[in-house]
Structures are given as C-alpha cells and as structure tokens.
Amino acid sequence: MPSDETPAPQAMELLRRVPYGRLATSMRALPFLAVARHIVSDGRILLRMHSGFGYHEACDGSVVTYGADNYNAASTDEGDGLWSVQFTGPAEIIHPCPEQEELFGAAPVCANGEPFAAAYLRVDPHFVTEHTLGFDASQLVRHAA
C-alpha cells in the first residue's frame, strides 16, 4: 500500500483486538523476531518493547514488519475465525505522550530475567497484508496429538 494512503481499516481493527505481536527485521545482517506490545494511534502502530536487547535501535530508521494474530484464541466460536495481519514500513524511536503510555497498560516486570526497560517505536505502515481462515460453526478447534 502506498504511504500516502490510510492502512486498511479492517486490518487496523483486527490489530486492536490483541495486545501483542511480533516485530521482524534484521540486526547485524541476521534476522530477528521480537515480541512487542502495540497500540494503534493516528493510523500508525506504536510498539513497546524491552530496550535491553537493542532491537529498538536496530529498527530505528529501518523498514520493519510487525504482525499479530488471534491464533492463540481459546476458540473460533465468536464467528471471526482465525486471522493474521502484517504491516511493513519504516520504524522510528519515539517518546509517547502520557495518553499513549496509558493505552499500553502495565509493562512486564522483567524480560529474560532482567528488569523490563521500555523502548517505543512508531511503525508507519506502507504495506498491509491480512489473512483469514473461516470455519463452519460445527467445526471445533482441537490440538493435534
């Protein structure tokens, strides 16, 4: 999606339904995937992650992908089925305003045994991908044995 267009409204609405997702980019020529808390603000995705790994610095000024899904939902009985969304665009380190910080809610106590130190990024989505899997009402989601 070109950067001068608003991201797909349905994809943004799906993202609002879950609190966490995965940030993907590379650091020192190696790919990494990191868990991040997100909120949607003014058509952009704001992320909170642990600063101790340095991932936020690797993302600053780079193109990243952020994705979230409802794959861990207890069931698909709500009629939504399974879905995933991915947003790709440039990321920038930010300092959220107090209202945005409040939307993130309580931060984790620790990350990999270290005290959690928050770092914030803004992702300006240029490309959006959305995938859904629908189920018949009679189907049950079961774990494979």
Side-chain angles (χ1 to χ4, degrees):
M1 160 180 301
S3 61
D4 60 345
E5 293 182 20
T6 305
Q10 182 175 343
M12 291 300 227
E13 183 55 39
L14 290 172
L15 190 63
R16 286 183 171 102
R17 296 180 187 185
V18 296
Y20 285 87
R22 293 161 214 79
L23 175 69
T25 194
S26 62
M27 186 166 146
R28 294 185 213 70
L30 297 173
F32 74 83
L33 193 64
V35 173
R37 171 74 167 97
H38 64 260
I39 62 170
V40 176
S41 179
D42 297 325
R44 294 187 171 114
I45 297 107
L46 305 185
L47 305 177
R48 179 181 67 197
M49 58 194 310
H50 178 53
S51 65
F53 304 134
Y55 296 155
H56 64 294
E57 292 168 346
C59 294
D60 190 31
S62 297
V63 173
V64 303
T65 297
Y66 184 73
D69 58 58
N70 71 340
Y71 296 165
N72 288 329
S75 72
T76 58
D77 293 339
E78 293 148 15
D80 291 338
L82 297 176
W83 57 262
S84 68
V85 293
Q86 292 180 351
F87 301 86
T88 301
E92 175 183 4
I93 293 175
I94 61 157
H95 301 285
C97 67
E99 294 83 13
Q100 291 168 329
E101 280 192 63
E102 188 175 321
L103 290 174
F104 279 107
V109 174
C110 62
N112 287 3
E114 298 178 13
F116 184 85
Y120 297 91
L121 292 170
R122 179 179 59 225
V123 178
D124 185 12
H126 287 211
F127 300 97
V128 178
T129 305
E130 178 184 330
H131 297 286
T132 60
L133 292 173
F135 293 90
D136 183 274
S138 65
Q139 292 175 297
L140 297 174
V141 176
R142 295 188 178 124
H143 294 284

